[in-house]
Amino acid sequence: HCGVGFLRFDSNKVGPNPFALARGKIDEAELKEIGTAIDKYRASASQMKLIALVHHHPISVQKPIWHKPEWYQQIFGWFQESTGEFENSSAFLHWLQEKGIPMVLHGHKHIPHFSTQNGTIIVGCGSSTGKVKTMVDRETYMSLNIITIDGSKAIVRLRAERLHGAGLEETASYEMIMANHIVP
């Protein structure tokens, strides 16, 4: 039996750089608050896999070829090939490692993504509503992730629909070892 616990982080904060629009930040006070709660319930936390939830990107994600930039990005040349991570993301990822939290789920730019960084599984959820602009008119990229946790293994499956009503098809699948380093 493997229980799962979710840790909710609020990255919808403006960092010290006012020109880093929509990047977000997780402040140190929140890390301390959640860390204290984990330490308080260490015995029960050691019996479950903890997963972090955050809105903004904890790492830079390559934009796929189907992703269409917003009109203002095209006009002002703000379109980059990858997304920006939130302002103190490296400290956040280090904190996850220290606390033994093996996975983080994020959203923000509606780009489905799977990767690992220093043993932390990072999953970008994509767009379950299809509200992401694509290079082809009337084409969508509605997607969802199915995450199965079986002991120390996590299986992440991406299912996507390109045309409304065409049905979800599996486009990618990844198996990763999901370690949890919290000890009593």
Side-chain angles (χ1 to χ4, degrees):
H1 175 68
C2 174
V4 176
F6 294 96
L7 304 172
R8 177 181 47 106
F9 293 87
D10 181 9
S11 64
N12 287 309
K13 299 176 183 104
V14 177
N17 181 357
F19 298 106
L21 301 173
R23 281 191 56 198
K25 173 185 177 176
I26 296 175
D27 60 32
E28 193 172 310
E30 186 172 10
L31 293 177
K32 286 181 182 177
E33 179 183 341
I34 293 174
T36 299
I38 291 170
D39 292 343
K40 182 177 179 181
Y41 299 103
R42 184 173 296 272
S44 55
S46 68
Q47 301 303 311
M48 64 176 56
K49 300 296 182 196
L50 297 176
I51 298 175
L53 306 174
V54 64
H55 176 76
H56 292 85
H57 292 242
I59 61 170
S60 182
V61 174
Q62 189 73 22
K63 290 186 180 174
I65 58 172
W66 52 261
H67 189 269
K68 183 176 183 177
E70 296 290 339
W71 64 268
Y72 56 86
Q73 293 172 321
Q74 293 175 28
I75 291 172
F76 298 112
W78 289 348
F79 184 72
Q80 291 113 7
E81 295 301 313
S82 62
T83 65
E85 68 277 355
F86 58 82
E87 288 203 22
N88 57 339
S89 63
S90 60
F92 172 71
L93 291 171
H94 180 73
W95 184 91
L96 292 177
Q97 272 192 303
E98 284 183 341
K99 293 295 181 185
I101 300 164
M103 181 183 286
V104 60
L105 308 179
H106 72 86
H108 190 51
K109 294 288 185 182
H110 302 272
I111 299 170
H113 175 259
F114 308 99
S115 67
T116 58
Q117 185 162 329
N118 298 326
T120 301
I121 300 165
I122 300 170
V123 180
C125 69
S127 178
S128 59
T129 62
K131 287 295 203 176
V132 60
K133 293 184 180 179
T134 64
M135 297 302 271
V136 178
D137 285 340
R138 296 174 29 170
E139 183 177 89
T140 64
Y141 201 90
M142 184 168 55
S143 62
L144 59 91
N145 293 315
I146 301 169
I147 301 171
T148 306
I149 298 171
D150 183 12
S152 64
K153 182 170 58 172
I155 302 167
V156 181
R157 293 178 183 88
L158 170 64
R159 308 225 1 137
E161 178 178 89
R162 293 289 192 141
L163 298 171
H164 286 293
L168 291 168
E169 58 186 55
E170 189 163 326
T171 63
S173 180
Y174 298 89
E175 284 190 30
M176 295 164 268
I177 299 301
M178 186 175 184
N180 195 341
H181 307 292
I182 295 177
V183 292

